Amino acid sequence: MTGVAKMIDEISSIGRDLTRGGFSRAGYSTADRELRDWFTAHANQRGLDVERDRNGVLWASWNPAGAAGPAIVTGSHLDSVPGGGGYDGPLGVASALAAIDILREDGRRLQRPIAIAVFPEEEGSRFGVACLGSRLLSGAISPERALALTDDEGDSFADVARRDGLDPASMGPDAAGLARIAAFVELHVEQGRGLIDLGEPVAIASSILGHGRWRVTVDGQGNHAGTTLMADRRDPLVAAARMVVEIRDLARRTDGARATVGRLEPVPGGTNVIASQVRFWIDIRHPDDVVTASLVSQARDIIARAAQGEGCAADVREESLSPTVDFDLGLRDALRRSLPNAPELGTGAGHDAGVLASSAPTAMLFVRNPTGISHSPEELVEDADAEIGAVALATVLGELASAQSIEGTTHAQPMMAK
Ligand code: GLV
Ligand code: MN
Ligand code: MN
């Protein structure tokens, strides 16, 4: 087993989900804490200083002799979706540690420090907003809004963060933290079949689809399944079922669109009970932000019509919205020079690198996933590809940390806080 595969194997017992399969490693859970401890131990073994910033991001810095100024930063996240795979996030963290090992062995003289960042609650599985740590750091979410988010138990992010040793009052945009980033390069398992089809192990990312999440609440009349005549019902689950199918149909007729309902909760949820309320979440993605806005508006119309048709009431709330990101052209050129054989691929998945793209030059590398499946226990990376990915990352980091200046070109404005 190679270095990266061994590290992934070390954490394979943490956060296993015996009911759903795969891993359920929610942000700020016990599993998340154990994973952070695992990372800190690895970083310390390598003599890296680890600090946790006020937004809960872990930073491990390697300052080789002679290196100075803002760092070339790599890293990813350790949390997962419910019942997720073992590579989405951890592959980037383990590869970052392995890349530092490779660069050290190489003995190359570096001008800049290299840092590993581990971002909390990337999946948004617990508090509903993806990339919560990088959004706080970059100002893409206001601390007031973030701290008021609640999990399924009704615990606020403020309380959970406080219990985890963070000071909620200190959270929010961190200009000094961002100024330490000369460039950010996140390595990630590919979440589709692009590299399988191309027969290549590693790609350079070109873009991330714009995407967002909307929470829908449908209210009807809870009642008895046996005594309520079919004509007398106001069943929010029937309304929600129509909404789910019609939103799927809307995405099917819109070129390039993706719309998903992956989470639906009937209340109270009894076999012989007509639900009184249904909550569900829609994930909508499209490369063109104008089309995304139009899809959302059409989905709102579908929801209003379907609710009315069943005598129900519906409410739609935006939980997060991220514009389409084209990764920094100058940095992509630099990566292409380091990895001339790597193809460029876009992705439909969101990442902290996408959030940070508005604050620093960012780029990503994808490593082949032989199943082409992600957010599922079937997600996979072959050991040999994981090693090729780590070497590619080390090559890129080594080149960037040796460069006199980082040729970032598309340095967008900071996102508007919501
Ligand atoms: C994160 O993986 C997302 O794309 O939702
Ligand atoms: Mn993910
Ligand atoms: Mn991820």
Side-chain angles (χ1 to χ4, degrees):
M1 213 180 265
T2 62
V4 176
K6 205 140 84 204
M7 283 190 259
I8 297 285
D9 186 58
E10 279 171 15
I11 53 175
S12 61
S13 63
I14 302 178
R16 268 209 180 276
D17 192 324
L18 299 176
T19 313
R20 287 177 273 215
F23 300 94
S24 290
R25 297 163 165 170
Y28 297 94
S29 62
T30 306
D32 188 45
R33 206 166 311 125
E34 286 175 22
L35 290 164
R36 280 187 269 134
D37 290 347
W38 166 84
F39 170 74
T40 302
H42 263 284
N44 288 340
Q45 270 167 31
R46 287 163 174 79
L48 311 183
D49 302 325
V50 181
E51 66 178 280
R52 194 173 187 211
D53 73 13
R54 50 192 170 83
N55 293 306
V57 183
L58 287 183
W59 297 85
S61 306
W62 178 40
N63 294 289
I72 305 301
V73 183
T74 185
S76 193
H77 61 98
L78 292 169
D79 63 311
S80 78
V81 294
Y87 298 89
D88 176 355
L91 185 73
V93 176
S95 301
L97 291 161
I100 287 186
D101 293 344
I102 294 166
L103 286 167
R104 269 213 171 117
E105 263 173 45
D106 194 40
R108 179 171 178 176
R109 204 170 162 75
L110 304 179
Q111 311 278 331
R112 290 171 187 279
I114 292 184
I116 305 176
V118 180
F119 294 97
E121 182 72 348
E122 190 272 349
E123 298 288 3
S125 305
R126 181 154 182 190
F127 293 102
V129 176
C131 300
L132 193 54
S134 55
R135 277 182 207 270
L136 278 163
L137 169 71
S138 63
I141 189 169
S142 70
E144 295 74 24
R145 197 182 149 227
L147 292 167
L149 295 169
T150 51
D151 65 10
D152 286 350
E153 309 302 315
D155 287 339
S156 70
F157 177 54
D159 285 342
V160 170
R162 194 179 296 109
R163 284 202 296 269
D164 208 71
L166 294 167
D167 172 14
S170 74
M171 287 186 160
D174 183 354
L178 290 172
R180 296 190 314 192
I181 309 175
F184 178 60
V185 183
E186 179 172 359
L187 178 146
H188 205 278
V189 57
E190 202 214 341
Q191 296 177 279
R193 354 182 351 105
L195 284 167
I196 304 175
D197 295 343
L198 291 166
E200 290 289 339
V202 172
I204 297 165
S206 53
S207 58
I208 293 181
L209 285 190
H211 57 283
R213 298 179 182 187
W214 290 264
R215 173 193 166 116
V216 183
T217 309
V218 190
D219 285 300
Q221 177 60 60
N223 213 332
H224 194 289
T227 61
T228 317
L229 297 181
M230 296 313 286
D232 291 343
R233 297 178 180 213
R234 294 193 294 116
D235 185 338
L237 195 47
V238 173
R242 274 193 211 292
M243 296 170 195
V244 171
V245 173
E246 287 191 32
I247 290 167
R248 191 279 309 261
D249 293 347
L250 166 67
R252 275 194 168 174
R253 13 175 230 277
T254 312
D255 208 25
R258 286 133 212 220
T260 308
V261 175
R263 180 177 168 202
L264 186 145
E265 298 171 353
V267 180
T271 306
N272 54 352
V273 182
I274 299 166
S276 58
Q277 185 184 77
V278 170
R279 294 190 282 266
F280 68 93
W281 284 258
I282 319 171
D283 178 312
I284 294 180
R285 307 189 188 213
H286 195 276
D288 182 336
D289 296 334
V290 174
V291 178
T292 304
S294 160
L295 287 165
V296 174
S297 152
Q298 292 176 75
R300 285 180 185 275
D301 291 345
I302 287 169
I303 289 164
R305 227 179 307 115
Q308 199 186 21
E310 296 297 327
C312 296
D315 175 65
V316 183
R317 245 163 242 204
E318 179 186 299
E319 288 199 328
S320 62
L321 180 59
S322 302
T324 287
V325 169
D326 287 311
F327 284 111
D328 188 284
L329 290 173
L331 199 53
R332 269 156 70 186
D333 279 347
L335 266 59
R336 263 198 302 267
R337 285 194 296 276
S338 299
L339 307 172
N341 296 325
E344 283 213 354
L345 282 179
T347 180
H351 299 284
D352 293 301
V355 173
L356 290 177
S358 54
S359 305
T362 65
M364 290 190 76
L365 294 177
F366 296 134
V367 177
R368 177 165 52 194
N369 171 359
T371 66
I373 292 172
S374 187
H375 283 186
S376 151
E378 287 159 70
E379 180 182 274
L380 191 66
V381 173
E382 303 287 359
D383 293 5
D385 281 354
E387 218 47 33
I388 292 170
V391 170
L393 182 63
T395 306
V396 163
L397 298 176
E399 289 292 327
L400 293 173
S402 309
Q404 291 298 335
S405 66
I406 305 300
E407 300 162 42
T409 51
T410 53
H411 209 146
Q413 293 304 305
M415 283 189 196
M416 292 295 292
K418 287 201 183 199

